[in-house]
Amino acid sequence: LPISDRGAMENEIAKLQREYIASFSEKETELRALMAPSHGDDKALAQALHKIAGSGGTYRMQALSRSTRALEVALLSGAITLSGDQGLINVWLQFFTTARKSYEGLAAADPTIKDCEHWHSAVGRIDTALQSLWEKVAKTHKALRLQEEDAA
């Protein structure tokens, strides 16, 4: 693509990322309901996680995508269940909340998209920090670590 077209495309990606970030609170509410022990539907939760894993990758939020995919695979493989692994599921939910707050903080601090390069750089820094955090989480939880190895 010519440079001018790439710039327009990057501006559009930044706009779409902001819209995606704006949906995080709603996604978190949905996930909390699906993760409630009384809900007990591993497949419904896995489907919701699958959507977030895919869209996270699409919007260049690889740590969010990777962590969500690991939880999805752990549920689908039976390595964890809603009824038996609520503590681990809550750890992932805390990770998601941290990601949501980090990205929402960026969107609130940088309300314009005029400096697209700054925006993408900041999203990349958040993703790197979240990836480091996720690696620490996965190392301490065998079921997630195994899913990470299988996905690689």
Side-chain angles (χ1 to χ4, degrees), residues 29-41:
T29 299
E30 176 188 358
L31 289 169
R32 284 186 184 280
L34 290 170
M35 290 177 171
S38 60
H39 191 270
D41 188 347

Side-chain angles (χ1 to χ4, degrees), residues 78-125:
I80 65 171
T81 62
L82 272 171
S83 60
D85 298 289
Q86 198 63 43
L88 180 55
I89 289 168
N90 286 334
V91 166
W92 180 87
L93 189 56
Q94 289 173 347
F95 175 83
F96 183 84
T97 300
T98 298
R100 177 186 58 78
K101 289 179 179 179
S102 298
Y103 287 119
E104 287 176 348
L106 171 63
D110 187 13
T112 66
I113 327 175
K114 292 182 180 173
D115 187 357
C116 187
E117 190 173 319
H118 170 74
W119 170 263
H120 288 298
S121 176
V123 167
R125 284 192 304 275

Side-chain angles (χ1 to χ4, degrees), residues 1 5 8 13 19 58 61 73 95 123 126 129 137:
L1 291 173
D5 290 346
I13 290 169
E19 291 171 7
T58 299
M61 297 173 185
V73 171
F95 175 83
V123 167
I126 290 171
V137 168

Side-chain angles (χ1 to χ4, degrees), residues 1-11:
L1 291 173
I3 291 175
S4 61
D5 290 346
R6 269 189 257 143
M9 182 178 72
E10 291 300 317
N11 281 335

